Amino acid sequence: MMIPQLSNTSVCMKDPDRVRDILVSMQKAGSNTLQVISDFDMTLTRFAFNGKRCPTCHNILDNSRLISDECKLQLKELLNTYYPIEIDCSRSVEEKLPLMVEWWTKAHELLIEQKIKKDALALVVRESDARLRDGYKFFFDHLHEHSIPLLIFSAGIGDVLEEVIRQAGVFHSNVNVFSNYMDFDELGVLQAFKGELIHIYNKREGALLNTGHFRELRARPNVLLLGDSLGDLNMADGVQDMENILKVGFLNDKVEERRQTYLDSYDIVLIKDETLDVPNAIIRFLTGQQ
Ligand code: C5P
Ligand code: MG
């Protein structure tokens, strides 16, 4: 393989020849035709660290000092109810979709009741266990240096994820974010969430609402997509005149049950890989550096 990291033990591919063909054709087209579209939670951030689960954007707030003990219990209950459904591969998307909407809606209602202050977010993120995957600095810096647009498409909370990447020093000018943003009143207190809810299974609709963004990137028909859930596969549905897409999926949890489904859906599956080593090697290859 022209990318040695594709032989890492965490890497699984159903069709390595196809992966090679896509990579060659994307490299030939040049990095000025490339755009990267990535999920945030559990894709750019770690799933676990030292044997402990790492928080999602929502969990950063759930576990913070901004939330009362009673509300923490309620949010924990929601997580214990709905997360197993999210990762249950014996249920169809049709069956899961309304339940996911229910989860996001109930959680957002609880967060709004807590009267969260906008100016407390930075501190709460700083105090959290949020962790970008190892190699994040190269990932963000290299894309920026090569003027490759990075769209972070997240069903998490935009204000929180922006703060995570800002504090890590990698919120560069080539980064755009589609996510759920908080709406604060004139006193800076959370009163609602803006716009259409983005949850784990409506990224297609989210993409189609943002045609302006994809129109601007029309000259970049080659896409590197990074995700960790099957809903992330739809993040590129708004891309215009797509030529090639390479889909890289992190399989973090319920590995054995979901392995085949992931292999059938993602071109490259990274199993319990907490690093960005493989995406970084791909980016290096596509920008002509070995
Ligand atoms: O698509 P993305 O990875 O950004 O999805 C957000 C993640 O946030 C989901 O995988 C879900 O497990 C998690 N979540 C959460 N608390 C909620 C709603 C979603 O931790 N209230
Ligand atoms: Mg995710």
Side-chain angles (χ1 to χ4, degrees):
M1 249 304 173
M2 55 222 176
I3 301 179
Q5 286 80 356
L6 291 181
S7 311
N8 287 0
T9 53
S10 65
V11 175
C12 286
M13 294 178 270
K14 188 166 135 182
D15 189 348
D17 290 340
R18 205 180 94 85
V19 169
R20 197 194 43 230
D21 290 347
I22 298 173
L23 281 167
V24 167
S25 125
M26 282 170 72
Q27 194 208 28
K28 271 205 195 119
S31 62
N32 58 346
T33 69
L34 177 66
Q35 54 175 306
V36 179
I37 304 179
S38 180
D39 170 52
F40 187 72
D41 290 310
M42 310 298 121
T43 296
L44 293 178
T45 57
R46 291 181 69 117
F47 179 74
F49 184 63
N50 285 341
K52 225 184 116 212
R53 282 292 304 273
C54 292
T56 62
C57 292
H58 282 96
N59 305 153
I60 289 174
L61 294 179
D62 300 350
N63 303 336
S64 77
R65 58 161 95 186
L66 304 179
I67 309 293
S68 71
D69 288 346
E70 193 201 336
C71 184
K72 275 197 175 110
L73 280 177
Q74 292 172 297
L75 287 162
K76 176 64 76 198
E77 232 176 80
L78 291 180
L79 184 69
N80 293 340
T81 307
Y82 292 103
Y83 178 68
I85 300 174
E86 175 187 339
I87 59 166
D88 182 350
C89 53
S90 71
R91 300 188 199 220
S92 68
V93 171
E94 292 73 45
E95 190 186 338
K96 293 202 261 190
L97 193 140
L99 298 167
M100 293 297 104
V101 174
E102 214 171 271
W103 181 14
W104 261 256
T105 309
K106 286 181 180 167
H108 286 185
E109 276 165 10
L110 286 170
L111 292 175
I112 291 164
E113 280 172 22
Q114 295 299 298
K115 310 237 171 292
I116 291 170
K117 283 256 179 64
K118 183 180 173 61
D119 59 14
L121 292 181
L123 181 65
V124 156
V125 167
R126 198 162 290 123
E127 289 179 343
S128 76
D129 296 324
R131 267 191 100 100
L132 293 162
R133 289 186 189 269
D134 287 355
Y136 76 86
K137 210 171 151 38
F138 176 89
F139 178 82
F140 282 93
D141 290 353
H142 196 75
L143 292 178
H144 179 234
E145 280 158 25
H146 290 262
S147 305
I148 298 169
L150 167 61
L151 171 64
I152 301 179
F153 195 155
S154 169
I157 301 172
D159 310 75
V160 175
L161 89 79
E162 282 194 10
E163 197 53 43
V164 172
I165 59 177
R166 190 175 298 120
Q167 288 183 15
V170 291
F171 194 1
H172 302 314
S173 53
N174 61 321
V175 176
N176 275 286
V177 180
F178 295 173
S179 189
N180 299 304
Y181 277 90
M182 295 171 142
D183 186 14
F184 297 98
D185 66 16
E186 64 283 0
L187 297 172
V189 177
L190 177 64
Q191 60 177 3
F193 280 81
K194 293 179 187 166
E196 294 292 321
L197 175 71
I198 302 175
H199 58 79
I200 192 153
Y201 289 125
N202 71 349
K203 290 196 173 180
R204 177 181 166 76
E205 290 73 15
L208 297 179
L209 280 175
N210 287 284
T211 43
H213 170 82
F214 292 111
R215 197 174 314 118
E216 267 180 50
L217 298 186
R218 224 173 17 219
R220 295 177 176 271
N222 293 306
V223 179
L224 173 64
L225 179 145
L226 308 176
D228 79 290
S229 94
L230 298 176
D232 296 331
L233 291 160
N234 296 109
M235 294 188 298
D237 286 3
V239 173
Q240 304 195 350
D241 309 321
M242 177 123 64
E243 267 167 28
N244 297 286
I245 179 162
L246 185 70
K247 300 171 190 156
V248 180
F250 287 91
L251 178 49
N252 302 308
D253 204 0
K254 289 258 182 292
V255 170
E256 284 323 312
E257 294 94 311
R258 298 198 290 171
R259 183 193 205 97
Q260 195 54 49
T261 313
Y262 272 62
L263 280 170
D264 291 339
S265 322
Y266 280 103
D267 301 306
I268 299 176
V269 179
L270 302 174
I271 296 186
K272 287 198 177 292
D273 182 340
E274 292 289 359
T275 75
L276 286 169
D277 292 351
V278 171
N280 283 346
I282 292 171
I283 288 168
R284 220 179 279 125
F285 175 75
L286 294 179
T287 52
Q289 289 168 16
Q290 283 286 19

